[in-house]
Amino acid sequence: KATSINVLLSEAKAIDKTKLTDSSVTLLTNAISKVENATNQESVDVAIKELKAVLKDLVYIRSVSELNALISQASAITNPNNAVYTANSYNSLIAVLELCKNVDTTDVERVSYLTGCLESKIANLITYIGGTN
């Protein structure tokens, strides 16, 4: 088990923090520190769980132009007669698209986060069997 903890720590430390938003850098740094300073099995388990969660949710810095490109891409996606995509996946895309259209473009954290969200919503649209996109 110690080996997998060391591998996880090595992977976490190898992440280029210059590519992360400030809040992600803080979360990652704190999570690494908690693992390194854990003194018993329970605190190790809690710290590892937190580090894994932080790693899964890291937000990489994204530009306004990347966001705008995704907004254009998402805006072109239609769901005629609700027959192509499931309602939940399409409505979820539209909800995030609206947030993206109205984001404060000076807020790097929010732009980066929403860019990742919109990218994920586009990638995870669920088509009906027989639906065409």
Side-chain angles (χ1 to χ4, degrees):
K1 184 155 185 168
T3 306
S4 63
I5 292 171
N6 290 334
V7 168
L8 185 66
L9 267 176
S10 294
E11 289 172 359
K13 289 178 178 180
I15 292 170
D16 183 352
K17 292 185 178 87
T18 64
K19 294 183 178 180
L20 298 175
T21 63
D22 291 344
S23 64
S24 282
V25 170
T26 301
L27 289 169
L28 180 60
T29 303
N30 290 343
I32 289 170
S33 179
K34 284 181 184 176
V35 172
E36 291 177 329
N37 295 313
T39 54
N40 59 42
Q41 191 59 51
E42 183 182 358
S43 61
V44 167
D45 291 345
V46 169
I48 289 293
K49 185 177 180 182
E50 181 180 324
L51 179 57
K52 286 179 177 177
V54 166
L55 289 172
K56 185 172 100 18
D57 292 333
L58 287 175
V59 177
Y60 288 84
I61 296 170
R62 305 295 290 272
S63 68
V64 173
S65 61
E66 285 178 278
L67 177 61
N68 287 334
L70 281 170
I71 287 172
S72 294
Q73 182 183 346
S75 296
I77 297 170
T78 59
N79 196 21
N81 303 318
N82 294 319
V84 179
Y85 302 106
T86 62
N88 283 349
S89 69
Y90 185 74
N91 292 341
S92 180
L93 168 72
I94 297 305
V96 172
L97 177 59
E98 289 308 310
L99 290 173
C100 291
K101 287 178 179 177
N102 297 304
V103 70
D104 172 1
T105 54
T106 63
D107 184 342
V108 175
E109 290 278 343
R110 193 84 179 128
V111 165
S112 299
Y113 174 75
L114 285 174
T115 301
C117 288
L118 187 57
E119 198 169 54
S120 175
K121 293 300 178 190
I122 292 168
N124 292 307
L125 275 170
I126 300 167
T127 54
Y128 284 113
I129 294 171
T132 55
N133 54 352

